[in-house]
């Protein structure tokens, strides 16, 4: 049994190349081999969002604070709020982020694949796409 104490792991800015706007990621758990699942708590500033991307093994996000938006490729913008849980299917192109004027925090749970990859990053979400146009 391992207990990781609150505050033991520093939060870091997310990779600017894969996000529009500012976000920070706080590791929650990352057990390592043979366990492939890990979790991170991500806080997006208002208007910030991921680029479009896919996850080879899918991804679950649990909204814990604020107000956010999610969208799958070809689907409508969906508002999400604390307590909502979203599963993105393996290979499903999507993005997630904060609402325009409110920050959003979610815990993201992903599993890495045989390559050690948990996300494949694509193009930024444009302002038009973010506005639902
Ligand atoms: Mn994702």
């Amino acid at each position: 049994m391992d207990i990781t104490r609150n505050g033991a792991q520093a939060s870091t800015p997310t990779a600017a190349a894969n996000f529009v706007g500012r976000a920070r990621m706080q590791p929650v758990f990352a057990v390592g081999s043979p366990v492939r699942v890990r979790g991170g708590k991500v806080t997006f500033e208002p208007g910030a969002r991921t680029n479009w991307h896919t996850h080879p093994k899918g991804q679950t996000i649990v909204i814990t604070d604020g107000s956010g938006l999610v969208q799958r490729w070809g689907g409508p913008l969906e508002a999400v709020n604390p307590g909502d849980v979203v599963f993105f299917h393996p290979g499903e192109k999507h993005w997630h982020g904060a609402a325009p004027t409110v920050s959003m925090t979610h815990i993201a749970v992903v599993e890495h694949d045989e390559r050690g990859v948990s996300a494949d990053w694509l193009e930024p979400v444009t302002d038009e796409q973010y506005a639902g146009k």
Side-chain angles (χ1 to χ4, degrees), residues 36-50:
R36 290 179 168 177
V37 67
R38 63 190 164 80
K41 182 160 70 174
V42 183
T43 297
F44 299 80
E45 291 192 355
R49 65 270 190 182
T50 67

Side-chain angles (χ1 to χ4, degrees), residues 8-127:
Q9 300 187 86
S11 78
T12 54
T14 53
N18 299 333
F19 286 70
V20 177
R22 284 161 40 116
R24 295 187 72 85
M25 204 281 287
Q26 164 91 50
V28 176
F29 61 92
V31 177
S33 181
V35 179
R36 290 179 168 177
V37 67
R38 63 190 164 80
K41 182 160 70 174
V42 183
T43 297
F44 299 80
E45 291 192 355
R49 65 270 190 182
T50 67
N51 283 7
W52 290 101
H53 63 284
T54 62
H55 301 283
K57 301 291 188 182
Q59 178 186 48
T60 300
I61 62 171
V62 182
I63 315 304
T64 60
D65 195 62
S67 184
L69 293 168
V70 302
Q71 187 178 30
R72 65 175 173 82
W73 186 256
L77 273 182
E78 299 273 7
V80 289
N81 290 292
D84 291 344
V85 179
V86 183
F87 179 65
F88 300 106
H89 292 264
E92 183 174 58
K93 185 175 175 178
H94 70 282
W95 63 269
H96 27 116
T101 61
V102 185
S103 66
M104 186 274 277
T105 300
H106 66 48
I107 293 176
V109 179
V110 288
E111 192 177 338
H112 63 259
D113 68 7
E114 298 71 18
R115 305 169 293 158
V117 170
S118 61
D120 290 296
W121 292 98
L122 302 166
E123 71 277 12
V125 176
T126 67
D127 290 343

